[in-house]
Amino acid sequence: MSAGLLLEILSAVLVVAGAGFFTVGTVGLVRLPDLRTRLHALTKADNLGLGLVVLGLVLQAGSVGAAVKLLVVWFLAMPASAVVAHLMSRGGGLGATGGAAEGPGTPGEGGAGGR
Amino acid sequence: MIGPVLDGVAVVLGLNLLLCLVRVLGGPTGRDRLLGVLLTGSTGAALLAVLSVSTGVPALRDAALVMTALASVVAVARLRAETEEP
């Protein structure tokens, strides 16, 4: 078995696994009942899926510049997802009943604060 | 032999994009719609990256990079507008 075929098989496995994680994240976004549970499904499954897809594509990129550019996509997505998850789950703003004034992480009011 | 695999993954990611639109259209609050938009941006970036390798068009890779960068800017701007405007 040649090295190129091995690389192609590894790349196909990684990309298909990433697509599976994307599908899990999307199903979670559609079916979970609450804003915070949806946030949980989105920010974890989604980033892992993007990382696996990018890793699989890097093996097929052909040149170092293309591979680095694909990796930059992932490295941009990770801090963006963390910042957005933090901002969105903090409460405050539209529709929250004083979630910002109660301090961080009171676990009992998760359902009421999200709507 | 990886070409058909990449094409199948592109189709799956496109179906995911359509499913995200269900949440964008039917989300009860603005934040739910924003979540759908964010997932659309991230799934779209992965779709563009897959297509850039599968079709060999390198400009699609740059489009994926721009899409990832802009999705976070959209989210931060939207949440900032929510908190500043009573």
Side-chain angles (χ1 to χ4, degrees):
Chain A
M1 181 180 287
S2 69
L5 184 62
L6 207 60
L7 269 187
E8 280 199 346
I9 291 175
L10 182 60
S11 167
V13 167
L14 282 174
V15 171
V16 167
F21 273 103
F22 265 116
T23 307
V24 168
T26 307
V27 169
L29 181 73
V30 172
R31 299 215 32 158
L32 285 177
D34 196 358
L35 177 73
R36 289 178 187 178
T37 51
R38 283 175 200 146
L39 198 60
H40 165 76
L42 187 143
T43 52
K44 292 175 186 67
D46 193 24
N47 261 332
L48 189 52
L50 185 59
L52 286 175
V53 167
V54 163
L55 273 186
L57 291 181
V58 159
L59 299 179
Q60 299 291 324
S63 73
V64 176
V68 168
K69 202 176 277 180
L70 281 173
L71 282 177
V72 165
V73 171
W74 187 30
F75 289 154
L76 261 181
M78 278 194 295
S81 160
V83 166
V84 165
H86 182 75
L87 277 179
M88 208 175 284
S89 63
R90 251 174 77 188
L94 247 166
T97 56
E102 292 174 5
T106 53
E109 52 95 35
R115 296 290 162 111
Chain B
M1 64 159 280
I2 195 157
V5 175
L6 288 184
D7 289 344
V9 164
V11 169
V12 168
L13 289 178
L15 289 179
N16 275 338
L17 275 181
L18 289 181
L19 265 181
C20 292
L21 291 185
V22 171
R23 179 51 68 201
V24 175
L25 288 177
T29 67
R31 290 187 176 200
D32 291 309
R33 295 178 207 274
L34 188 54
L35 274 183
V37 171
L38 284 177
L39 189 56
T40 308
S42 158
T43 312
L47 175 62
L48 286 175
V50 168
L51 284 182
S52 82
V53 171
S54 136
T55 65
V57 180
L60 289 177
R61 201 178 302 125
D62 301 340
L65 193 53
V66 170
M67 202 157 192
T68 312
L70 277 188
S72 61
V73 173
V74 165
V76 170
R78 177 82 175 87
L79 289 173
R80 185 77 189 267
E82 261 185 13
T83 51
E84 277 184 356
E85 182 180 21

